[in-house]
Amino acid sequence: RFKEKDKLVRPQIKLFNGSLKFLVCICKILQNFLIKNDFISQLAGYLNYSLNIFGSPLTYELKLKNISEYNFNPHFILGSILSTYSAFYDKFHFIEGVIKDERSYKFSNFDRAKNLVANNKNITINEKDFENYIKFVDNLRREEKIIKNEEISYDDAPQEFLDGLTFLIMTDPVKLPKSHVILDRKTIETHLLSDQTDPFNREPLTKEMLLPCPELKAKIEEYMKNKKNEKMKELHSKANK
């Protein structure tokens, strides 16, 4: 029976290692695509959960006989996880998703992983990826102060920045082709999951018919960036008192 399990485990570990390499490559090439298509929460949750396991010192204290025969290498796995994070070091929408993962996110895991790499030459991550991972951790620390400790108020946002249904500030505004109402992409795509019509005039509507509003999106991003900078100045001011 053990031999039967053995035959099952070996190819599964090989497949897992290959999938991990593929994930790193995809994230390095297609960061913007992944962010725009709302894979953030799933990807962030997967990475955070994996970091909880493979970023723990206990993982490296495991003593398994003939572990190399199975191609199970925690050092390679941790390096791959950190390389994936590093691909998003300057993508603040993704960083926000990482922090908002209530199941697995702990900032201490990211700091500990950084120290593990610095003190363990067996962890396989190239120099450029590690540099970007350090930048990712620095940005993560800054964003956490804003998101977790000091929520930003957008009460003074112009009316045109607000979603036509939720009246919350939009991050990816799109225009409905028939009613011409502008909504956040998440709002209307959630609606379309159960009802393929324009909520304002009941005309047929699909995701492909939505019209992006790049100029409005740029204005909103600039406004939110300025608000974040104001909040960071406020936080630094409080910290120096």
Side-chain angles (χ1 to χ4, degrees), residues 173-219:
V174 292
K175 181 183 284 187
L176 310 190
K178 296 292 180 68
S179 64
H180 305 296
V181 177
I182 296 177
L183 300 176
D184 194 67
R185 185 180 294 276
K186 282 185 181 179
T187 301
I188 187 61
E189 288 189 354
T190 300
H191 166 79
L192 292 174
L193 289 173
S194 58
D195 186 350
Q196 298 267 298
T197 63
D198 185 319
F200 296 94
N201 61 17
R202 313 311 296 170
E203 291 282 335
L205 180 67
T206 65
K207 186 166 65 172
E208 291 71 28
M209 295 166 66
L210 301 175
L211 304 173
C213 303
E215 292 183 6
L216 177 58
K217 183 177 180 180
K219 287 181 183 178

mmCIF file of all heavy atoms in Angstrom, residues 173-219:
data_model
loop_
_atom_site.group_PDB
_atom_site.id
_atom_site.type_symbol
_atom_site.label_atom_id
_atom_site.label_comp_id
_atom_site.label_asym_id
_atom_site.label_seq_id
_atom_site.Cartn_x
_atom_site.Cartn_y
_atom_site.Cartn_z
ATOM 1 N N PRO A 173 -13.945 52.715 -13.817
ATOM 2 C CA PRO A 173 -15.248 53.162 -14.340
ATOM 3 C C PRO A 173 -15.509 52.686 -15.765
ATOM 4 O O PRO A 173 -14.608 52.691 -16.606
ATOM 5 C CB PRO A 173 -15.138 54.688 -14.292
ATOM 6 C CG PRO A 173 -13.677 54.965 -14.370
ATOM 7 C CD PRO A 173 -12.999 53.835 -13.667
ATOM 8 N N VAL A 174 -16.742 52.254 -16.013
ATOM 9 C CA VAL A 174 -17.168 51.859 -17.366
ATOM 10 C C VAL A 174 -18.549 52.458 -17.633
ATOM 11 O O VAL A 174 -19.356 52.623 -16.721
ATOM 12 C CB VAL A 174 -17.230 50.321 -17.527
ATOM 13 C CG1 VAL A 174 -15.846 49.704 -17.474
ATOM 14 C CG2 VAL A 174 -18.136 49.687 -16.483
ATOM 15 N N LYS A 175 -18.807 52.781 -18.903
ATOM 16 C CA LYS A 175 -20.100 53.362 -19.268
ATOM 17 C C LYS A 175 -21.018 52.279 -19.852
ATOM 18 O O LYS A 175 -20.571 51.443 -20.642
ATOM 19 C CB LYS A 175 -19.902 54.475 -20.297
ATOM 20 C CG LYS A 175 -21.206 55.165 -20.712
ATOM 21 C CD LYS A 175 -20.964 56.210 -21.788
ATOM 22 C CE LYS A 175 -20.335 57.462 -21.205
ATOM 23 N NZ LYS A 175 -20.241 58.555 -22.232
ATOM 24 N N LEU A 176 -22.280 52.304 -19.449
ATOM 25 C CA LEU A 176 -23.263 51.402 -20.020
ATOM 26 C C LEU A 176 -23.696 51.977 -21.363
ATOM 27 O O LEU A 176 -24.069 53.165 -21.439
ATOM 28 C CB LEU A 176 -24.456 51.244 -19.088
ATOM 29 C CG LEU A 176 -24.132 50.902 -17.620
ATOM 30 C CD1 LEU A 176 -25.406 50.532 -16.874
ATOM 31 C CD2 LEU A 176 -23.121 49.779 -17.517
ATOM 32 N N PRO A 177 -23.646 51.183 -22.436
ATOM 33 C CA PRO A 177 -23.814 51.729 -23.788
ATOM 34 C C PRO A 177 -25.168 52.346 -24.102
ATOM 35 O O PRO A 177 -25.248 53.274 -24.912
ATOM 36 C CB PRO A 177 -23.559 50.498 -24.684
ATOM 37 C CG PRO A 177 -23.826 49.323 -23.811
ATOM 38 C CD PRO A 177 -23.405 49.738 -22.439
ATOM 39 N N LYS A 178 -26.240 51.880 -23.471
ATOM 40 C CA LYS A 178 -27.579 52.379 -23.792
ATOM 41 C C LYS A 178 -28.042 53.483 -22.824
ATOM 42 O O LYS A 178 -28.523 54.531 -23.236
ATOM 43 C CB LYS A 178 -28.590 51.236 -23.790
ATOM 44 C CG LYS A 178 -28.321 50.182 -24.865
ATOM 45 C CD LYS A 178 -28.558 50.737 -26.256
ATOM 46 C CE LYS A 178 -28.287 49.705 -27.344
ATOM 47 N NZ LYS A 178 -29.241 48.608 -27.346
ATOM 48 N N SER A 179 -27.884 53.244 -21.528
ATOM 49 C CA SER A 179 -28.331 54.239 -20.542
ATOM 50 C C SER A 179 -27.285 55.322 -20.303
ATOM 51 O O SER A 179 -27.580 56.374 -19.737
ATOM 52 C CB SER A 179 -28.671 53.559 -19.219
ATOM 53 O OG SER A 179 -27.515 52.962 -18.659
ATOM 54 N N HIS A 180 -26.025 55.043 -20.693
ATOM 55 C CA HIS A 180 -24.908 55.992 -20.550
ATOM 56 C C HIS A 180 -24.546 56.284 -19.085
ATOM 57 O O HIS A 180 -23.826 57.241 -18.805
ATOM 58 C CB HIS A 180 -25.196 57.310 -21.276
ATOM 59 C CG HIS A 180 -25.530 57.121 -22.725
ATOM 60 N ND1 HIS A 180 -24.641 56.609 -23.648
ATOM 61 C CD2 HIS A 180 -26.689 57.345 -23.409
ATOM 62 C CE1 HIS A 180 -25.210 56.547 -24.834
ATOM 63 N NE2 HIS A 180 -26.455 56.978 -24.724
ATOM 64 N N VAL A 181 -25.037 55.469 -18.167
ATOM 65 C CA VAL A 181 -24.663 55.618 -16.762
ATOM 66 C C VAL A 181 -23.273 55.023 -16.567
ATOM 67 O O VAL A 181 -22.928 54.008 -17.190
ATOM 68 C CB VAL A 181 -25.675 54.895 -15.842
ATOM 69 C CG1 VAL A 181 -25.244 54.979 -14.375
ATOM 70 C CG2 VAL A 181 -27.063 55.501 -16.019
ATOM 71 N N ILE A 182 -22.480 55.653 -15.708
ATOM 72 C CA ILE A 182 -21.130 55.147 -15.429
ATOM 73 C C ILE A 182 -21.124 54.444 -14.079
ATOM 74 O O ILE A 182 -21.540 55.011 -13.065
ATOM 75 C CB ILE A 182 -20.098 56.290 -15.457
ATOM 76 C CG1 ILE A 182 -20.025 56.894 -16.861
ATOM 77 C CG2 ILE A 182 -18.728 55.787 -15.020
ATOM 78 C CD1 ILE A 182 -19.092 58.078 -16.992
ATOM 79 N N LEU A 183 -20.628 53.201 -14.098
ATOM 80 C CA LEU A 183 -20.535 52.387 -12.881
ATOM 81 C C LEU A 183 -19.118 51.840 -12.756
ATOM 82 O O LEU A 183 -18.359 51.811 -13.729
ATOM 83 C CB LEU A 183 -21.509 51.205 -12.934
ATOM 84 C CG LEU A 183 -23.004 51.502 -13.069
ATOM 85 C CD1 LEU A 183 -23.781 50.199 -13.202
ATOM 86 C CD2 LEU A 183 -23.509 52.295 -11.876
ATOM 87 N N ASP A 184 -18.797 51.375 -11.557
ATOM 88 C CA ASP A 184 -17.535 50.666 -11.381
ATOM 89 C C ASP A 184 -17.671 49.290 -12.040
ATOM 90 O O ASP A 184 -18.734 48.661 -11.984
ATOM 91 C CB ASP A 184 -17.214 50.503 -9.897
ATOM 92 C CG ASP A 184 -15.765 50.092 -9.689
ATOM 93 O OD1 ASP A 184 -14.884 50.911 -9.982
ATOM 94 O OD2 ASP A 184 -15.517 48.956 -9.242
ATOM 95 N N ARG A 185 -16.611 48.830 -12.671
ATOM 96 C CA ARG A 185 -16.670 47.551 -13.390
ATOM 97 C C ARG A 185 -17.131 46.415 -12.468
ATOM 98 O O ARG A 185 -17.936 45.565 -12.858
ATOM 99 C CB ARG A 185 -15.306 47.208 -13.996
ATOM 100 C CG ARG A 185 -15.332 45.948 -14.865
ATOM 101 C CD ARG A 185 -13.958 45.652 -15.444
ATOM 102 N NE ARG A 185 -13.543 46.671 -16.391
ATOM 103 C CZ ARG A 185 -13.892 46.686 -17.680
ATOM 104 N NH1 ARG A 185 -14.704 45.753 -18.156
ATOM 105 N NH2 ARG A 185 -13.451 47.635 -18.487
ATOM 106 N N LYS A 186 -16.642 46.387 -11.226
ATOM 107 C CA LYS A 186 -17.033 45.328 -10.294
ATOM 108 C C LYS A 186 -18.535 45.346 -10.035
ATOM 109 O O LYS A 186 -19.177 44.300 -9.950
ATOM 110 C CB LYS A 186 -16.294 45.489 -8.961
ATOM 111 C CG LYS A 186 -14.855 45.005 -8.971
ATOM 112 C CD LYS A 186 -14.271 45.101 -7.578
ATOM 113 C CE LYS A 186 -12.828 44.637 -7.564
ATOM 114 N NZ LYS A 186 -12.237 44.743 -6.209
ATOM 115 N N THR A 187 -19.088 46.533 -9.900
ATOM 116 C CA THR A 187 -20.522 46.666 -9.617
ATOM 117 C C THR A 187 -21.365 46.060 -10.732
ATOM 118 O O THR A 187 -22.257 45.236 -10.485
ATOM 119 C CB THR A 187 -20.906 48.142 -9.438
ATOM 120 O OG1 THR A 187 -20.153 48.713 -8.377
ATOM 121 C CG2 THR A 187 -22.390 48.293 -9.118
ATOM 122 N N ILE A 188 -21.087 46.471 -11.960
ATOM 123 C CA ILE A 188 -21.926 46.015 -13.067
ATOM 124 C C ILE A 188 -21.663 44.552 -13.406
ATOM 125 O O ILE A 188 -22.585 43.807 -13.761
ATOM 126 C CB ILE A 188 -21.755 46.924 -14.319
ATOM 127 C CG1 ILE A 188 -22.759 46.538 -15.393
ATOM 128 C CG2 ILE A 188 -20.326 46.898 -14.835
ATOM 129 C CD1 ILE A 188 -24.213 46.672 -14.972
ATOM 130 N N GLU A 189 -20.417 44.090 -13.284
ATOM 131 C CA GLU A 189 -20.133 42.686 -13.590
ATOM 132 C C GLU A 189 -20.773 41.765 -12.556
ATOM 133 O O GLU A 189 -21.190 40.650 -12.891
ATOM 134 C CB GLU A 189 -18.626 42.453 -13.687
ATOM 135 C CG GLU A 189 -18.026 43.065 -14.945
ATOM 136 C CD GLU A 189 -16.578 42.674 -15.178
ATOM 137 O OE1 GLU A 189 -15.988 42.007 -14.301
ATOM 138 O OE2 GLU A 189 -16.025 43.033 -16.241
ATOM 139 N N THR A 190 -20.856 42.210 -11.315
ATOM 140 C CA THR A 190 -21.568 41.428 -10.297
ATOM 141 C C THR A 190 -23.049 41.347 -10.650
ATOM 142 O O THR A 190 -23.672 40.285 -10.543
ATOM 143 C CB THR A 190 -21.396 42.065 -8.907
ATOM 144 O OG1 THR A 190 -20.003 42.097 -8.569
ATOM 145 C CG2 THR A 190 -22.143 41.272 -7.840
ATOM 146 N N HIS A 191 -23.627 42.461 -11.079
ATOM 147 C CA HIS A 191 -25.036 42.491 -11.497
ATOM 148 C C HIS A 191 -25.280 41.539 -12.670
ATOM 149 O O HIS A 191 -26.276 40.795 -12.699
ATOM 150 C CB HIS A 191 -25.427 43.912 -11.882
ATOM 151 C CG HIS A 191 -26.714 44.016 -12.626
ATOM 152 N ND1 HIS A 191 -27.951 43.964 -12.009
ATOM 153 C CD2 HIS A 191 -26.966 44.146 -13.967
ATOM 154 C CE1 HIS A 191 -28.901 44.059 -12.920
ATOM 155 N NE2 HIS A 191 -28.341 44.169 -14.116
ATOM 156 N N LEU A 192 -24.335 41.540 -13.629
ATOM 157 C CA LEU A 192 -24.515 40.739 -14.841
ATOM 158 C C LEU A 192 -24.417 39.235 -14.597
ATOM 159 O O LEU A 192 -24.856 38.440 -15.428
ATOM 160 C CB LEU A 192 -23.484 41.156 -15.903
ATOM 161 C CG LEU A 192 -23.665 42.561 -16.493
ATOM 162 C CD1 LEU A 192 -22.512 42.909 -17.416
ATOM 163 C CD2 LEU A 192 -24.995 42.671 -17.226
ATOM 164 N N LEU A 193 -23.859 38.839 -13.479
ATOM 165 C CA LEU A 193 -23.787 37.422 -13.152
ATOM 166 C C LEU A 193 -25.187 36.811 -13.014
ATOM 167 O O LEU A 193 -25.395 35.634 -13.317
ATOM 168 C CB LEU A 193 -23.008 37.201 -11.848
ATOM 169 C CG LEU A 193 -21.498 37.446 -11.901
ATOM 170 C CD1 LEU A 193 -20.900 37.344 -10.504
ATOM 171 C CD2 LEU A 193 -20.812 36.465 -12.845
ATOM 172 N N SER A 194 -26.138 37.625 -12.582
ATOM 173 C CA SER A 194 -27.498 37.104 -12.374
ATOM 174 C C SER A 194 -28.537 37.740 -13.294
ATOM 175 O O SER A 194 -29.656 37.246 -13.403
ATOM 176 C CB SER A 194 -27.930 37.338 -10.915
ATOM 177 O OG SER A 194 -27.874 38.708 -10.586
ATOM 178 N N ASP A 195 -28.152 38.833 -13.954
ATOM 179 C CA ASP A 195 -29.142 39.539 -14.784
ATOM 180 C C ASP A 195 -28.413 40.241 -15.932
ATOM 181 O O ASP A 195 -27.715 41.233 -15.722
ATOM 182 C CB ASP A 195 -29.884 40.562 -13.920
ATOM 183 C CG ASP A 195 -31.035 41.227 -14.666
ATOM 184 O OD1 ASP A 195 -31.140 41.037 -15.887
ATOM 185 O OD2 ASP A 195 -31.819 41.944 -14.019
ATOM 186 N N GLN A 196 -28.568 39.717 -17.142
ATOM 187 C CA GLN A 196 -27.857 40.250 -18.310
ATOM 188 C C GLN A 196 -28.605 41.430 -18.938
ATOM 189 O O GLN A 196 -28.873 41.463 -20.139
ATOM 190 C CB GLN A 196 -27.679 39.143 -19.348
ATOM 191 C CG GLN A 196 -26.842 37.971 -18.875
ATOM 192 C CD GLN A 196 -25.375 38.124 -19.246
ATOM 193 O OE1 GLN A 196 -25.017 38.174 -20.409
ATOM 194 N NE2 GLN A 196 -24.528 38.209 -18.244
ATOM 195 N N THR A 197 -28.943 42.415 -18.091
ATOM 196 C CA THR A 197 -29.619 43.612 -18.593
ATOM 197 C C THR A 197 -29.028 44.855 -17.926
ATOM 198 O O THR A 197 -28.434 44.776 -16.841
ATOM 199 C CB THR A 197 -31.134 43.589 -18.302
ATOM 200 O OG1 THR A 197 -31.339 43.586 -16.882
ATOM 201 C CG2 THR A 197 -31.795 42.373 -18.921
ATOM 202 N N ASP A 198 -29.219 45.976 -18.583
ATOM 203 C CA ASP A 198 -28.854 47.275 -18.012
ATOM 204 C C ASP A 198 -29.821 47.556 -16.846
ATOM 205 O O ASP A 198 -31.036 47.570 -17.044
ATOM 206 C CB ASP A 198 -28.991 48.347 -19.096
ATOM 207 C CG ASP A 198 -28.523 49.716 -18.642
ATOM 208 O OD1 ASP A 198 -28.819 50.096 -17.481
ATOM 209 O OD2 ASP A 198 -27.900 50.416 -19.447
ATOM 210 N N PRO A 199 -29.309 47.779 -15.629
ATOM 211 C CA PRO A 199 -30.210 47.980 -14.486
ATOM 212 C C PRO A 199 -31.025 49.262 -14.550
ATOM 213 O O PRO A 199 -31.967 49.443 -13.772
ATOM 214 C CB PRO A 199 -29.240 47.999 -13.287
ATOM 215 C CG PRO A 199 -27.921 48.372 -13.854
ATOM 216 C CD PRO A 199 -27.895 47.794 -15.239
ATOM 217 N N PHE A 200 -30.693 50.150 -15.488
ATOM 218 C CA PHE A 200 -31.391 51.432 -15.556
ATOM 219 C C PHE A 200 -32.487 51.475 -16.634
ATOM 220 O O PHE A 200 -33.375 52.313 -16.562
ATOM 221 C CB PHE A 200 -30.382 52.564 -15.786
ATOM 222 C CG PHE A 200 -29.417 52.725 -14.642
ATOM 223 C CD1 PHE A 200 -28.184 52.090 -14.663
ATOM 224 C CD2 PHE A 200 -29.751 53.475 -13.527
ATOM 225 C CE1 PHE A 200 -27.294 52.216 -13.606
ATOM 226 C CE2 PHE A 200 -28.877 53.612 -12.465
ATOM 227 C CZ PHE A 200 -27.644 52.977 -12.501
ATOM 228 N N ASN A 201 -32.380 50.578 -17.627
ATOM 229 C CA ASN A 201 -33.427 50.585 -18.658
ATOM 230 C C ASN A 201 -33.843 49.186 -19.113
ATOM 231 O O ASN A 201 -34.670 49.059 -20.009
ATOM 232 C CB ASN A 201 -32.994 51.420 -19.871
ATOM 233 C CG ASN A 201 -31.736 50.869 -20.522
ATOM 234 O OD1 ASN A 201 -31.345 49.729 -20.296
ATOM 235 N ND2 ASN A 201 -31.103 51.693 -21.346
ATOM 236 N N ARG A 202 -33.262 48.164 -18.505
ATOM 237 C CA ARG A 202 -33.581 46.755 -18.775
ATOM 238 C C ARG A 202 -33.235 46.315 -20.192
ATOM 239 O O ARG A 202 -33.673 45.269 -20.649
ATOM 240 C CB ARG A 202 -35.067 46.451 -18.498
ATOM 241 C CG ARG A 202 -35.616 46.974 -17.184
ATOM 242 C CD ARG A 202 -34.735 46.616 -16.001
ATOM 243 N NE ARG A 202 -34.662 45.170 -15.787
ATOM 244 C CZ ARG A 202 -33.816 44.574 -14.942
ATOM 245 N NH1 ARG A 202 -32.959 45.318 -14.255
ATOM 246 N NH2 ARG A 202 -33.826 43.274 -14.788
ATOM 247 N N GLU A 203 -32.411 47.079 -20.902
ATOM 248 C CA GLU A 203 -31.955 46.664 -22.225
ATOM 249 C C GLU A 203 -30.926 45.532 -22.070
ATOM 250 O O GLU A 203 -30.207 45.475 -21.067
ATOM 251 C CB GLU A 203 -31.295 47.840 -22.948
ATOM 252 C CG GLU A 203 -32.243 48.931 -23.352
ATOM 253 C CD GLU A 203 -33.040 48.574 -24.589
ATOM 254 O OE1 GLU A 203 -32.572 47.745 -25.396
ATOM 255 O OE2 GLU A 203 -34.150 49.116 -24.746
ATOM 256 N N PRO A 204 -30.840 44.618 -23.047
ATOM 257 C CA PRO A 204 -29.841 43.541 -22.972
ATOM 258 C C PRO A 204 -28.427 44.112 -22.812
ATOM 259 O O PRO A 204 -28.082 45.112 -23.456
ATOM 260 C CB PRO A 204 -29.990 42.816 -24.316
ATOM 261 C CG PRO A 204 -31.396 43.110 -24.734
ATOM 262 C CD PRO A 204 -31.681 44.507 -24.256
ATOM 263 N N LEU A 205 -27.638 43.473 -21.967
ATOM 264 C CA LEU A 205 -26.289 43.961 -21.690
ATOM 265 C C LEU A 205 -25.377 42.792 -21.336
ATOM 266 O O LEU A 205 -25.758 41.910 -20.567
ATOM 267 C CB LEU A 205 -26.317 44.968 -20.529
ATOM 268 C CG LEU A 205 -24.978 45.571 -20.105
ATOM 269 C CD1 LEU A 205 -24.416 46.472 -21.211
ATOM 270 C CD2 LEU A 205 -25.140 46.392 -18.819
ATOM 271 N N THR A 206 -24.168 42.790 -21.910
ATOM 272 C CA THR A 206 -23.155 41.787 -21.574
ATOM 273 C C THR A 206 -21.869 42.500 -21.167
ATOM 274 O O THR A 206 -21.696 43.700 -21.427
ATOM 275 C CB THR A 206 -22.854 40.865 -22.765
ATOM 276 O OG1 THR A 206 -22.269 41.645 -23.820
ATOM 277 C CG2 THR A 206 -24.110 40.168 -23.259
ATOM 278 N N LYS A 207 -20.975 41.748 -20.576
ATOM 279 C CA LYS A 207 -19.699 42.308 -20.116
ATOM 280 C C LYS A 207 -18.906 42.914 -21.278
ATOM 281 O O LYS A 207 -18.225 43.929 -21.113
ATOM 282 C CB LYS A 207 -18.899 41.194 -19.432
ATOM 283 C CG LYS A 207 -17.623 41.647 -18.787
ATOM 284 C CD LYS A 207 -17.057 40.592 -17.851
ATOM 285 C CE LYS A 207 -16.627 39.352 -18.564
ATOM 286 N NZ LYS A 207 -15.903 38.407 -17.673
ATOM 287 N N GLU A 208 -19.002 42.276 -22.441
ATOM 288 C CA GLU A 208 -18.243 42.728 -23.604
ATOM 289 C C GLU A 208 -18.730 44.085 -24.123
ATOM 290 O O GLU A 208 -18.003 44.774 -24.850
ATOM 291 C CB GLU A 208 -18.334 41.687 -24.730
ATOM 292 C CG GLU A 208 -17.608 40.380 -24.466
ATOM 293 C CD GLU A 208 -18.271 39.524 -23.412
ATOM 294 O OE1 GLU A 208 -19.518 39.630 -23.252
ATOM 295 O OE2 GLU A 208 -17.563 38.756 -22.738
ATOM 296 N N MET A 209 -19.955 44.481 -23.768
ATOM 297 C CA MET A 209 -20.539 45.729 -24.261
ATOM 298 C C MET A 209 -20.134 46.942 -23.413
ATOM 299 O O MET A 209 -20.387 48.087 -23.811
ATOM 300 C CB MET A 209 -22.067 45.612 -24.292
ATOM 301 C CG MET A 209 -22.572 44.567 -25.291
ATOM 302 S SD MET A 209 -24.324 44.144 -25.049
ATOM 303 C CE MET A 209 -25.124 45.701 -25.455
ATOM 304 N N LEU A 210 -19.527 46.712 -22.274
ATOM 305 C CA LEU A 210 -19.155 47.815 -21.382
ATOM 306 C C LEU A 210 -18.076 48.677 -22.024
ATOM 307 O O LEU A 210 -17.135 48.169 -22.642
ATOM 308 C CB LEU A 210 -18.660 47.260 -20.050
ATOM 309 C CG LEU A 210 -19.655 46.389 -19.279
ATOM 310 C CD1 LEU A 210 -18.995 45.811 -18.029
ATOM 311 C CD2 LEU A 210 -20.907 47.176 -18.908
ATOM 312 N N LEU A 211 -18.197 49.998 -21.858
ATOM 313 C CA LEU A 211 -17.262 50.942 -22.482
ATOM 314 C C LEU A 211 -16.308 51.518 -21.432
ATOM 315 O O LEU A 211 -16.745 52.242 -20.528
ATOM 316 C CB LEU A 211 -18.046 52.083 -23.146
ATOM 317 C CG LEU A 211 -19.095 51.653 -24.182
ATOM 318 C CD1 LEU A 211 -19.911 52.863 -24.622
ATOM 319 C CD2 LEU A 211 -18.429 50.976 -25.364
ATOM 320 N N PRO A 212 -15.015 51.210 -21.519
ATOM 321 C CA PRO A 212 -14.042 51.759 -20.562
ATOM 322 C C PRO A 212 -14.006 53.280 -20.601
ATOM 323 O O PRO A 212 -14.279 53.887 -21.642
ATOM 324 C CB PRO A 212 -12.712 51.162 -21.027
ATOM 325 C CG PRO A 212 -13.078 49.988 -21.872
ATOM 326 C CD PRO A 212 -14.386 50.335 -22.522
ATOM 327 N N CYS A 213 -13.662 53.887 -19.473
ATOM 328 C CA CYS A 213 -13.540 55.346 -19.373
ATOM 329 C C CYS A 213 -12.124 55.681 -18.906
ATOM 330 O O CYS A 213 -11.910 56.037 -17.726
ATOM 331 C CB CYS A 213 -14.570 55.901 -18.397
ATOM 332 S SG CYS A 213 -16.274 55.503 -18.797
ATOM 333 N N PRO A 214 -11.136 55.569 -19.788
ATOM 334 C CA PRO A 214 -9.729 55.740 -19.381
ATOM 335 C C PRO A 214 -9.400 57.114 -18.812
ATOM 336 O O PRO A 214 -8.608 57.230 -17.870
ATOM 337 C CB PRO A 214 -8.944 55.451 -20.665
ATOM 338 C CG PRO A 214 -9.928 55.633 -21.777
ATOM 339 C CD PRO A 214 -11.256 55.246 -21.220
ATOM 340 N N GLU A 215 -9.988 58.165 -19.366
ATOM 341 C CA GLU A 215 -9.685 59.514 -18.873
ATOM 342 C C GLU A 215 -10.220 59.715 -17.459
ATOM 343 O O GLU A 215 -9.527 60.268 -16.590
ATOM 344 C CB GLU A 215 -10.279 60.568 -19.813
ATOM 345 C CG GLU A 215 -9.592 60.607 -21.175
ATOM 346 C CD GLU A 215 -10.150 61.705 -22.055
ATOM 347 O OE1 GLU A 215 -10.979 62.515 -21.581
ATOM 348 O OE2 GLU A 215 -9.741 61.763 -23.241
ATOM 349 N N LEU A 216 -11.445 59.251 -17.220
ATOM 350 C CA LEU A 216 -12.028 59.353 -15.884
ATOM 351 C C LEU A 216 -11.245 58.492 -14.904
ATOM 352 O O LEU A 216 -10.986 58.907 -13.768
ATOM 353 C CB LEU A 216 -13.493 58.918 -15.921
ATOM 354 C CG LEU A 216 -14.242 58.906 -14.575
ATOM 355 C CD1 LEU A 216 -14.213 60.288 -13.916
ATOM 356 C CD2 LEU A 216 -15.678 58.439 -14.767
ATOM 357 N N LYS A 217 -10.858 57.303 -15.332
ATOM 358 C CA LYS A 217 -10.075 56.408 -14.473
ATOM 359 C C LYS A 217 -8.763 57.075 -14.058
ATOM 360 O O LYS A 217 -8.349 56.993 -12.893
ATOM 361 C CB LYS A 217 -9.789 55.105 -15.203
ATOM 362 C CG LYS A 217 -9.044 54.075 -14.347
ATOM 363 C CD LYS A 217 -8.844 52.760 -15.108
ATOM 364 C CE LYS A 217 -8.109 51.759 -14.236
ATOM 365 N NZ LYS A 217 -7.891 50.471 -14.941
ATOM 366 N N ALA A 218 -8.100 57.737 -15.000
ATOM 367 C CA ALA A 218 -6.835 58.424 -14.707
ATOM 368 C C ALA A 218 -7.049 59.539 -13.681
ATOM 369 O O ALA A 218 -6.223 59.740 -12.775
ATOM 370 C CB ALA A 218 -6.229 58.980 -15.988
ATOM 371 N N LYS A 219 -8.159 60.267 -13.810
ATOM 372 C CA LYS A 219 -8.478 61.339 -12.851
ATOM 373 C C LYS A 219 -8.691 60.763 -11.444
ATOM 374 O O LYS A 219 -8.217 61.318 -10.448
ATOM 375 C CB LYS A 219 -9.746 62.084 -13.278
ATOM 376 C CG LYS A 219 -9.588 62.999 -14.473
ATOM 377 C CD LYS A 219 -10.924 63.693 -14.753
ATOM 378 C CE LYS A 219 -10.883 64.566 -15.970
ATOM 379 N NZ LYS A 219 -12.189 65.199 -16.245
#
